[in-house]
Amino acid sequence: CLPLIHFYNAHQKQHKKFPLFLMNEFIDKLGQNRDSVYFRDGVRRIDFVLSYVDDKDGDKKAERRREFEANLEKAGLELETEDKSESDDRKTYYLKIHAPWEVLATYADVLKIKVPFKASDIPKAREVPLEWLTHPFRLPDNIMRPEPDYFTAPFDKSKVDFFLIDDKDTFFPPSTRNRIVYYILTRCPYYKEDRKEKDKTGINRLLNNGTYTSAYPLHDCKYWKKAQDMQCESERYHLYKYWARFLCFYKEQPLNLIKKYYGEKIGIYFAWLGFYTEMLFFAAVMGVICFVYGVLSYEDNITSKEICDPKIGGMIVMCPLCDKKCSYWKLNSTCLSSWQSHLFDNEGTVFFAIFMGIWVTLFLEFWKRRQARLEYEWDLVDFEEEQQQLQIRPEYELKCTGRRLNRITQEMEPYLPFPSKCARFCLSGATVLFWTCLIVACIMGVIAYRLAVYAAFASIMKDSPTSKIQLVGSLITPQLATSVTASCINFVIILILNFLYEHVAIWITDMEIPKTHLEYENKLTMKMFMFQFVNYYSSCFYVAFFKGKFVGYPGNYTYMFGKWSKLRNEECAPGGCLIELTTQLLIVMAGKQMVGNVQEALLNWWGSRKGRSHPESTYSRWEQDHDLQNFSQFGLFYEYLEMVIQFGFITLFVASFPLAPLLALFNNILEVRVDAWKFTTQFRRPVAAKSRNIGAWEEILNVVAILSVVTNAFIMAFTSDMIPRLVYLYAYHPGDEATMRGYITNSLSLPTHLCKLTDFFFSSYRDYRYPPGHEKQYTHNMQFWHILAAKLAFIIIMEHVVFVVKFFVAWLIPDVPTEVKARIKRERFLVQEYLHNYEVEKLKMQLSQSFCLSTETASLLPSSPSKHQVLSECI
């Protein structure tokens, strides 16, 4: 077989037509291994595959396919069809596409693809001291750096000898080849020459109308073993071995190999996810330190000791938490929740909240620097979005029957009339508003559930007011039981609404008929993020900023739906509402992460071993990839959305749960490997796409970061019990020694008989009001206003301190490292210098050739100075 292939290569170099049927027949007789990425000749690489089946509407589709494939061949692509009799299911045809050198060179010039022209002479970074400590986390150099470092320049077909071309067959990597072929496929028409219908263009239209069932580039081999063909790179195998397995969780990611195989857009996502996970390590360490401080200061918590003390908390009887079914309760019944609250509501939490405000800034600023470095290393500095990303969507062309003249192209194009556009926009806005109101209604229902269930728990309690502690089950107070069950129900509602709204968001975005793919993705991004922001965070906002703030006082309580509802607004426990916010955040955040990972594992588990049951001789490479899941254009969108929602949890409400970054860290370590496993084993190979950054998500992260400073300041001021304790410590403690003794008694209003209209038992309630009989009875006393002033002052001071540090850090850290700026300038200088020298040498050669011709013709004439010689000497 080898002599025949060499014979074919010799013919190709001499531009002679070779009878391929001889080679095909010869290889078929030998029994070709169908697990290959080459045509039957074993030489031409498969750059793209289209599949289709015969159906009842076969004539129309067959006609479209004939015209489309004929136009592909006119564009220079080479095609080869696999009959359905050769396929595993005996009904699918496969059209294999190969782009020869001429086509690749032409479109590389059109797309300004950067290619190497000189080996880099910039010395590598010096070794960092103690670098040997990182060796266990590193991967082999051939995996981390699959390509040498070159200076690159946009490809120019007229200057082929300027670039470092050793072998034309391997000069463009497979990711660039499939990108070029896809560019042609999306612009190739399928109408006849005598009927030019502009809307009948592109593979996307043919996929939508069912002419083809799928279009995809091929993986280079099986993921669990290397390709048998030595010409094949086996990059998929290396990605699985060193990246996609969970046992590699502690290793660095082979970002350059990911970029080379999947393209820059997917590479930048995993670079961001990996960097986000690395930065979470520092936040998690500080969160653990804050939690450990709460544990170590457990015994110094005088407030909890007083609550649990039978002589103090056991002697204080509190007003019932509802009107009829609830009984009086002793303060020491909240002993357990008071100790739990201290773990998160302590002095260390204030410093952790300030630290997280600064951490967010450092994360975003250092990511900009990392992103700038990747832009340089991946040749994205001068990159501009290709026109194919702004291509008109087929749905837009199909639904917009109106035509108007484009002032730039001077061609007729489809458009959506303004009245129709306004009507669709209004309907879309009304739909989004309706679903937002539906979320609020569900939250109100959960609140009503909390009130009703607490009353039910209270009706079960038959203990007298003099009993020690009231529990539902072992060590579970009614408040805790109500909070946990309500949080679980709220989480289930979140999942249901999220599932339904995902389809609604796609429907209303389709209804708006966006013109381009980029516009479609941006609109869907805004709708999905706004909805999920309200869906996931609304319950946390309620507990943090509304619960216990509008309760009223005995004899004049505030009710949720008026007095007729008999659902009195919830009160916070004597230790504050922070522990309930912690419970809510823990259940929603951890539940979302767990459900997401389990869902991904279950959805993809069934296909993990599918290809291994087929013999290689019958189960072809294109069939194996055809049976994998399609990677849609919104694949990365959902991955980013999941991580941005998590980012909101660990920043917006982190003051209530310092261990949230630790949970996020564990989840992301798993998430990186789960996503890598999906891309490597479960998805078809995506078409390589370029991207300089993470796009609109970066702006969303900036907004969330700024909002997080405000929310954490308000949580520490109004949800935590920190400010009232500090005001008591420095202004209202009895005696000369600053101590927290007596704080519990001070934080309760004096006994009253107005707790229940039917009882006349003197009891206390949580508030700062004048006692009965006072001229200002039941109005807020001076201590309340002092505490309120301290809370507002704390918010202003904390926000200003964090924002000043944020802006100073942002100003101090340049977005682009100095080293990268120098390299960019040097590369641009070298490109200009080498191009200038190349043009000069080329001109010299042309002049020397013309001079030789002129001397031959003028040898019989009298000698005279040659202008060409003079010009050549000047050059």
Side-chain angles (χ1 to χ4, degrees):
C1 186
L2 285 175
L4 192 57
I5 293 176
H6 292 320
F7 183 50
Y8 170 77
N9 288 333
H11 273 67
Q12 288 291 93
K13 291 180 180 179
Q14 297 175 14
H15 304 286
K16 293 182 179 180
K17 190 173 182 180
F18 182 78
L20 293 177
F21 69 90
L22 293 177
M23 181 173 285
N24 295 338
E25 182 179 354
F26 182 69
I27 293 175
D28 289 339
K29 289 180 179 179
L30 291 176
Q32 182 194 20
N33 178 16
R34 289 164 58 82
D35 187 21
S36 172
V37 293
Y38 292 93
F39 276 19
R40 296 191 193 99
D41 55 33
V43 176
R44 294 175 293 171
R45 188 181 185 106
I46 302 172
D47 297 314
F48 227 88
V49 174
L50 307 180
S51 66
Y52 60 91
V53 295
D54 291 331
D55 52 22
K56 59 182 180 180
D57 194 19
D59 293 338
K60 280 186 177 181
K61 295 178 180 178
E63 179 65 23
R64 295 188 198 125
R65 284 193 292 267
R66 280 194 296 270
E67 295 296 332
F68 186 68
E69 292 168 16
N71 289 328
L72 289 179
E73 290 180 327
K74 290 178 182 178
L77 299 178
E78 298 176 3
L79 311 178
E80 185 177 82
T81 304
E82 290 288 333
D83 190 75
K84 65 179 180 180
S85 61
E86 301 292 330
S87 65
D88 189 55
D89 60 3
R90 297 294 187 271
K91 62 181 180 180
T92 304
Y93 294 86
Y94 295 94
L95 178 68
K96 298 176 288 185
I97 302 174
H98 168 76
W101 168 258
E102 280 298 318
V103 174
L104 294 173
T106 300
Y107 284 93
D109 193 352
V110 171
L111 296 175
K112 301 300 179 186
I113 294 175
K114 288 189 174 183
V115 294
F117 70 90
K118 180 185 182 298
S120 175
D121 60 356
I122 297 178
K124 294 183 179 179
R126 298 177 180 177
E127 290 190 2
V128 181
L130 302 178
E131 188 179 7
W132 57 272
L133 292 174
T134 63
H135 286 174
F137 308 101
R138 295 194 175 278
L139 296 176
D141 285 341
N142 65 314
I143 301 299
M144 290 302 299
R145 299 175 184 85
E147 297 175 305
D149 193 10
Y150 292 106
F151 290 124
T152 59
F155 185 80
D156 190 339
K157 190 178 179 182
S158 63
K159 301 182 178 66
V160 174
D161 53 343
F162 173 73
F163 302 101
L164 299 178
I165 303 177
D166 295 328
D167 185 355
K168 291 183 177 180
D169 292 335
T170 59
F171 179 68
F172 293 107
S175 58
T176 302
R177 296 175 69 98
N178 72 56
R179 178 180 158 214
I180 291 175
V181 173
Y182 185 71
Y183 182 88
I184 299 172
L185 291 173
T186 55
R187 283 157 177 75
C188 183
Y190 56 90
Y191 51 77
K192 295 182 179 180
E193 292 184 359
D194 56 341
R195 296 177 59 190
K196 291 191 175 182
E197 301 171 90
K198 295 292 185 182
D199 58 331
K200 292 186 176 181
T201 302
I203 186 63
N204 293 325
R205 288 292 302 271
L206 293 173
L207 290 172
N208 288 338
N209 59 34
T211 303
Y212 291 100
T213 55
S214 61
Y216 53 92
L218 291 180
H219 285 293
D220 59 2
C221 66
K222 291 183 172 70
Y223 66 85
W224 64 86
K225 70 176 182 178
K226 289 185 178 181
Q228 295 181 359
D229 192 341
M230 298 303 297
Q231 300 180 35
C232 191
E233 302 85 357
S234 297
E235 291 174 346
R236 186 190 188 193
Y237 166 77
H238 290 306
L239 285 171
Y240 176 75
K241 180 179 179 180
Y242 294 103
W243 179 52
R245 296 189 304 165
F246 181 73
L247 293 178
C248 302
F249 72 92
Y250 63 95
K251 297 282 189 178
E252 60 184 338
Q253 295 189 86
L255 295 177
N256 290 321
L257 186 59
I258 297 171
K259 182 270 299 184
K260 182 184 177 185
Y261 192 76
Y262 290 113
E264 290 81 358
K265 190 170 185 178
I266 293 178
I268 206 76
Y269 163 72
F270 280 103
W272 176 82
L273 180 58
F275 182 79
Y276 172 45
T277 305
E278 292 171 7
M279 291 295 292
L280 275 176
F281 173 78
F282 302 101
V285 169
M286 290 301 298
V288 171
I289 292 175
C290 180
F291 178 77
V292 170
Y293 173 80
V295 174
L296 295 179
S297 60
Y298 204 66
E299 296 298 328
D300 298 330
N301 184 15
I302 298 177
T303 302
S304 297
K305 287 183 177 181
E306 288 189 350
I307 291 176
C308 298
D309 190 346
K311 296 181 180 180
I312 301 177
M315 300 300 294
I316 299 176
V317 179
M318 303 295 292
C319 289
L321 297 177
C322 57
D323 285 346
K324 291 186 177 180
K325 296 182 179 180
C326 297
S327 62
Y328 295 96
W329 55 283
K330 290 186 176 182
L331 184 61
N332 64 353
S333 66
T334 62
C335 176
L336 181 61
S337 63
S338 174
W339 284 112
Q340 294 170 345
S341 179
H342 175 73
L343 295 176
F344 307 105
D345 188 6
N346 53 67
E347 294 79 3
T349 308
V350 179
F351 296 99
F352 182 67
I354 297 174
F355 168 81
M356 286 302 295
I358 300 172
W359 174 87
V360 170
T361 304
L362 292 174
F363 164 64
L364 295 175
E365 293 302 319
F366 281 123
W367 165 245
K368 291 177 183 177
R369 290 172 62 85
R370 180 71 176 275
Q371 190 170 255
R373 192 178 296 276
L374 290 176
E375 285 181 18
Y376 168 74
E377 293 177 355
W378 293 355
D379 291 327
L380 300 171
V381 175
D382 300 319
F383 168 73
E384 294 180 359
E385 300 291 335
E386 288 94 353
Q387 291 184 355
Q388 70 260 32
Q389 293 186 1
L390 300 176
Q391 183 185 10
I392 295 179
R393 297 173 63 243
E395 296 82 359
Y396 184 84
E397 297 175 338
L398 183 64
K399 296 179 181 179
C400 298
T401 56
R403 293 289 187 273
R404 68 179 177 185
L405 183 67
N406 188 310
R407 296 181 181 179
I408 299 175
T409 62
Q410 293 298 310
E411 294 181 356
M412 299 300 292
E413 66 175 10
Y415 83 103
L416 188 65
F418 183 75
S420 177
K421 185 181 294 186
C422 288
R424 293 173 186 273
F425 178 79
C426 292
L427 181 59
S428 174
T431 306
V432 173
L433 182 62
F434 167 78
W435 279 85
T436 303
C437 294
L438 182 62
I439 296 174
V440 175
C442 290
I443 295 299
M444 298 293 289
V446 172
I447 296 172
Y449 163 85
R450 297 168 69 106
L451 299 176
V453 167
Y454 186 86
F457 279 136
S459 65
I460 297 175
M461 302 174 191
K462 303 300 182 181
D463 298 33
S464 67
T466 59
S467 64
K468 183 178 180 182
I469 295 179
Q470 298 173 343
L471 297 176
V472 179
S474 176
L475 301 179
I476 301 178
T477 64
Q479 291 93 336
L480 181 60
T482 303
S483 178
V484 170
T485 55
S487 298
C488 292
I489 292 174
N490 181 65
F491 177 66
V492 173
I493 293 175
I494 286 173
L495 294 180
I496 295 174
L497 290 178
N498 192 38
F499 174 78
L500 295 176
Y501 184 77
E502 182 176 325
H503 296 80
V504 173
I506 294 174
W507 175 74
I508 59 179
T509 306
D510 289 337
M511 181 194 63
E512 292 179 8
I513 319 180
K515 185 175 182 179
T516 66
H517 292 286
L518 187 60
E519 183 181 352
Y520 183 94
E521 187 172 347
N522 288 340
K523 288 188 174 183
L524 183 62
T525 298
M526 291 304 300
K527 291 181 179 65
M528 285 297 295
F529 178 74
M530 289 174 59
F531 176 82
Q532 294 219 12
F533 184 90
V534 178
N535 195 23
Y536 279 107
Y537 302 146
S538 56
S539 58
C540 293
F541 271 100
Y542 162 74
V543 175
F545 305 122
F546 294 97
K547 182 180 178 181
K549 308 300 185 295
F550 310 98
V551 177
Y553 57 90
N556 189 25
Y557 283 116
T558 305
Y559 294 82
M560 185 174 178
F561 301 109
K563 287 188 177 182
W564 62 270
S565 67
K566 300 180 181 179
L567 295 177
R568 210 169 82 194
N569 284 350
E570 289 185 281
E571 297 183 35
C572 291
C577 279
L578 194 70
I579 189 62
E580 291 195 40
L581 178 59
T582 303
T583 304
Q584 180 75 26
L585 181 64
L586 177 62
I587 291 177
V588 176
M589 178 184 172
K592 179 185 182 300
Q593 294 179 167
M594 187 180 302
V595 170
N597 289 329
V598 171
Q599 184 180 12
E600 287 180 346
L602 291 178
L603 288 176
N604 297 310
W605 174 81
W606 64 270
S608 60
R609 299 177 180 269
K610 185 168 184 176
R612 303 193 185 195
S613 60
H614 294 73
E616 294 181 5
S617 58
T618 60
Y619 197 40
S620 63
R621 164 58 35 212
W622 44 90
E623 288 179 279
Q624 294 176 43
D625 287 4
H626 179 266
D627 292 338
L628 297 176
Q629 299 181 50
N630 180 43
F631 183 77
S632 68
Q633 60 174 327
F634 301 117
L636 285 183
F637 165 79
Y638 290 110
E639 301 295 341
Y640 275 119
L641 182 62
E642 179 183 1
M643 289 295 102
V644 171
I645 293 297
Q646 182 204 84
F647 181 80
F649 278 123
I650 68 165
T651 54
L652 294 174
F653 308 102
V654 72
S656 66
F657 189 42
L659 295 180
L662 182 65
L663 294 181
L665 176 64
F666 290 149
N667 174 80
N668 287 10
I669 291 174
L670 179 63
E671 181 74 21
V672 171
R673 304 304 160 178
V674 169
D675 287 348
W677 178 75
K678 287 192 305 182
F679 274 90
T680 309
T681 67
Q682 303 302 303
F683 285 143
R684 296 171 185 164
R685 185 173 184 171
V687 178
K690 284 184 173 290
S691 179
R692 290 185 61 181
N693 47 48
I694 62 176
W697 298 108
E698 189 169 344
E699 295 301 321
I700 293 176
L701 291 176
N702 284 321
V703 173
V704 173
I706 294 174
L707 182 61
S708 67
V709 178
V710 179
T711 55
N712 283 300
F714 273 84
I715 287 174
M716 294 307 303
F718 289 98
T719 309
S720 167
D721 206 34
M722 179 63 61
I723 302 300
R725 291 201 298 263
L726 292 176
V727 170
Y728 174 82
L729 180 65
Y730 293 107
Y732 286 90
H733 67 276
D736 298 332
E737 182 183 358
T739 178
M740 290 300 298
R741 296 188 181 280
Y743 168 72
I744 288 299
T745 306
N746 177 267
S747 65
L748 301 176
S749 291
L750 295 179
T752 176
H753 64 280
L754 296 176
C755 288
K756 290 182 70 175
L757 300 179
T758 57
D759 295 327
F760 292 92
F761 191 90
F762 287 91
S763 57
S764 302
Y765 61 98
R766 171 81 178 205
D767 208 343
Y768 295 93
R769 295 179 181 272
Y770 288 109
H774 193 277
E775 59 180 359
K776 297 181 180 179
Q777 62 176 0
Y778 301 122
T779 61
H780 288 118
N781 58 25
M782 188 57 65
Q783 186 174 354
F784 170 85
W785 298 110
H786 288 167
I787 293 174
L788 180 61
K791 290 179 177 180
L792 297 178
F794 173 82
I795 291 172
I796 295 173
I797 294 173
M798 179 178 172
E799 287 182 355
H800 281 69
V801 168
V802 174
F803 279 132
V804 167
V805 174
K806 278 173 64 71
F807 292 130
F808 176 74
V809 170
W811 171 81
L812 187 64
I813 302 175
D815 293 345
V816 182
T818 306
E819 176 193 0
V820 173
K821 289 181 180 179
R823 291 192 174 201
I824 293 173
K825 291 179 181 179
R826 172 157 179 77
E827 185 164 334
R828 287 174 177 170
F829 167 76
L830 284 175
V831 171
Q832 294 176 356
E833 182 182 29
Y834 273 77
L835 280 174
H836 175 266
N837 294 338
Y838 172 80
E839 295 292 346
V840 169
E841 292 297 327
K842 191 174 182 180
L843 181 57
K844 282 183 178 181
M845 294 179 62
Q846 292 175 353
L847 291 175
S848 62
Q849 292 174 0
S850 62
F851 175 70
C852 291
L853 292 175
S854 64
T855 54
E856 290 178 2
T857 56
S859 59
L860 300 176
L861 298 176
S863 60
S864 60
S866 172
K867 294 182 178 179
H868 295 289
Q869 184 178 6
V870 174
L871 181 58
S872 179
E873 292 176 355
C874 292
I875 293 176

